[in-house]
Amino acid sequence: MIRWFLYMHDSMKSTFYMVNGMVFTLSFFLVRNCLQTFMVVKCLIPAMIWRMPLMESDDKLEITVSLATFFIYLILCFMNVFWFYKLVVLLIRTFVVKKEGSEDAYSKESN
């Protein structure tokens, strides 16, 4: 929200804009990439392994829900890595623009 506000008021060359972008990228990496991957590896996978002997019953719904949960979290982990890549590219473009003084990084974005 703050970054959008600064962008709309043409304050993209300010130091606060750069610091805000770096803090957002760092917090995204720590919370979305590191923490979520940790939760999947340290909590979800061991819980599924522990419950596998219990799932040998005829309860297909429980197996389906467990596997669906695992694959959804796996897909989210890959999406977070992709989004982090996009954030880093945008942050690099913003730093290059700040050095060159040309148009903003958002107009160069093709997506």
Side-chain angles (χ1 to χ4, degrees):
M1 183 75 170
I2 294 173
R3 193 164 178 84
W4 174 83
F5 183 76
L6 291 170
Y7 176 75
M8 293 305 288
H9 291 318
D10 202 26
S11 298
M12 294 171 298
K13 300 201 187 313
S14 69
T15 306
F16 184 66
Y17 184 80
M18 293 297 189
V19 170
N20 180 271
M22 288 186 293
V23 167
F24 174 73
T25 304
L26 179 66
S27 64
F28 184 90
F29 174 72
L30 291 175
V31 174
R32 298 289 290 270
N33 288 32
C34 294
L35 183 64
Q36 185 175 2
T37 305
F38 171 78
M39 294 297 286
V40 168
V41 171
K42 287 291 193 178
C43 298
L44 183 64
I45 293 174
M48 288 184 65
I49 291 171
W50 177 77
R51 289 187 53 91
M52 279 300 171
L54 301 175
M55 288 187 197
E56 292 176 357
S57 66
D58 292 332
D59 192 9
K60 301 290 184 193
L61 180 63
E62 186 176 357
I63 296 170
T64 305
V65 169
S66 296
L67 291 176
T69 302
F70 173 73
F71 284 115
I72 287 170
Y73 274 107
L74 192 65
I75 290 169
L76 284 175
C77 285
F78 284 120
M79 288 174 63
N80 283 333
V81 170
F82 175 72
W83 291 332
F84 179 68
Y85 165 76
K86 296 290 275 184
L87 283 173
V88 168
V89 167
L90 189 60
L91 193 65
I92 290 171
R93 284 183 185 168
T94 304
F95 274 116
V96 169
V97 166
K98 183 163 177 125
K99 285 183 182 178
E100 293 176 357
S102 60
E103 72 268 5
D104 64 292
Y106 294 105
S107 64
K108 292 182 182 179
E109 180 82 14
S110 61
N111 300 13

